Amino acid sequence: MGLMGLLVLAIAVWMVGGVWALLRMAKHPPGGSAGVAIARGLPLDPAEAGLNFERWTYRTPDGLDLSVWDIAGCGRNDPVILIHDWGQSPLSMLERANELLAETTRIIVPCLRGHDGEAGACSLGPRETDDLARLVETLAVTVYIEGSGFGGLIASAACELPLVAGVTTIDSWTDQANGLARILATYGFPAFPIAVVANWCFSVCRS
């Protein structure tokens, strides 16, 4: 095999390995919210922050039981659902929950599938959208929804749901391809060509 052949082989191995690693990480995001909180001396749940809350689970359309923090607010506005970003957890939304306490009756913070030890694998949007619809249905009250990053993509898909009074997104993913590119960027890698191929593989596997 000549030098050119070795170069082509090396590129192919790099591509396959990169796509495989990205797909695996996308489906099973690494944790870290608790470690960051401990390092900063921050609370690890609403109780440690002095908040009144309950932890319960709801059943997704495909049979998973996912955890929810249900934090009691002091205001009169409709409950707010806060949806965390890819690779994060409800803990990352605790600061925002504190900001909403005086405005709303309840702050609902679900943990996304495949995150922070929860069941299932991240689907980068489709199944999480179904999960959110089921959560709103389970709550059976009018709600507002806020989502950050990946959570923004999920929240945007819920704007037409019954009982959803409004949706707010912060630095939202625009689509799955954008999300994969952001995941790579987090680790200092360019999106092209690995994110492009990984997005195609994700779409083909789902179809």
Side-chain angles (χ1 to χ4, degrees), residues 105-152:
T105 56
R106 296 165 70 187
I107 302 103
I108 311 296
V109 193
C111 190
L112 299 177
R113 60 171 60 218
H115 286 72
D116 201 37
E118 290 294 309
C122 178
S123 75
L124 295 187
R127 290 193 180 277
E128 289 81 5
T129 299
D130 293 340
D131 296 345
L132 178 57
R134 176 59 57 85
L135 176 59
V136 172
E137 180 183 303
T138 300
L139 291 168
V141 294
T142 301
V143 296
Y144 287 88
I145 301 175
E146 289 188 16
S148 175
F150 176 42

Side-chain angles (χ1 to χ4, degrees), residues 5-6 20 25 33 37 43 74 82 84-85 94 112 124-125 148 156 159 161 165 178 181 185 195 198 200 207:
L6 287 173
W20 177 85
M25 182 165 39
S33 295
C74 308
L82 298 180
H84 63 80
D85 199 355
L94 193 52
L112 299 177
L124 295 187
S148 175
S156 296
C159 61
L161 288 176
N178 174 247
W200 177 83
S207 61

Side-chain angles (χ1 to χ4, degrees), residues 50-65:
L51 305 179
N52 182 18
F53 90 111
E54 295 180 2
R55 180 185 281 108
W56 46 271
T57 62
Y58 72 101
R59 180 66 56 87
T60 68
D62 59 341
L64 303 180
D65 291 320

Side-chain angles (χ1 to χ4, degrees), residues 17-102:
V19 169
W20 177 85
L22 178 57
L23 290 175
R24 186 176 185 280
M25 182 165 39
K27 293 179 181 179
H28 304 283
S33 295
V36 171
I38 291 172
R40 296 179 179 176
L42 300 174
L44 293 175
D45 64 27
E48 289 192 11
L51 305 179
N52 182 18
F53 90 111
E54 295 180 2
R55 180 185 281 108
W56 46 271
T57 62
Y58 72 101
R59 180 66 56 87
T60 68
D62 59 341
L64 303 180
D65 291 320
L66 300 181
S67 301
V68 173
W69 286 354
D70 192 340
I71 303 170
C74 308
R76 297 183 177 181
N77 293 337
D78 291 328
V80 178
I81 298 175
L82 298 180
I83 309 175
H84 63 80
D85 199 355
W86 180 91
Q88 297 186 355
S89 72
L91 187 57
S92 61
M93 305 303 288
L94 193 52
E95 182 178 353
R96 178 55 179 154
N98 266 299
E99 295 173 352
L100 292 169
L101 281 179

Side-chain angles (χ1 to χ4, degrees), residues 1 16 26 29 43 72 101 113 116 125 132 154 156 167 178 189 194 196:
M1 182 181 294
V16 171
L101 281 179
R113 60 171 60 218
D116 201 37
L132 178 57
I154 301 166
S156 296
V167 170
N178 174 247
F189 294 102
I194 291 176
V196 175

